[in-house]
Amino acid sequence: MTQPPSPLDFPKQIPAPRYAVGTRCRWIPQPSTDWGIIIGHILLPSETTPHQGADWRWSYLLMLDNSSPSRRWTVMDWVSEDDLELFPMQPVLTQNPQQEGL
């Protein structure tokens, strides 16, 4: 049986959050996905059965990007760390060296 950390051991036994405030992330893609910027995070007990004891997980408050599909009806939403990934950045477009003289 897993025992919850005692109050004195609690901070030492919890891993640091995977994503920092200000990080651009998205929900792991489904048929559609939302994305935005992390503006906060909290540590919550995870869903466990009583005989397993408490376990903890990070949850993130994501402010949705203006072009995110759900932004029409909500500005921000909570997402579990396991359901989140870094938002892939758009490739930077560079000029073709052959076109620079044009």
Side-chain angles (χ1 to χ4, degrees), residues 52-71:
Q52 291 177 320
D55 194 15
W56 298 88
R57 64 178 172 84
W58 287 103
S59 191
Y60 298 85
L61 184 57
L62 196 70
M63 185 172 69
L64 299 180
D65 188 85
N66 286 336
S67 58
S68 188
S70 298
R71 181 62 187 249

Side-chain angles (χ1 to χ4, degrees), residues 5-25:
S6 70
L8 296 176
D9 292 334
F10 181 77
K12 297 175 196 168
Q13 293 184 6
I14 304 301
R18 191 179 306 160
Y19 305 106
V21 170
T23 304
R24 289 182 49 86
C25 289

Side-chain angles (χ1 to χ4, degrees), residues 20-55:
V21 170
T23 304
R24 289 182 49 86
C25 289
R26 69 175 179 184
W27 272 260
I28 294 176
Q30 301 294 321
S32 66
T33 192
D34 283 302
W35 59 91
I37 296 175
I38 293 174
I39 61 171
H41 53 267
I42 59 173
L43 196 56
L44 296 173
S46 63
E47 297 175 10
T48 58
T49 57
H51 69 276
Q52 291 177 320
D55 194 15

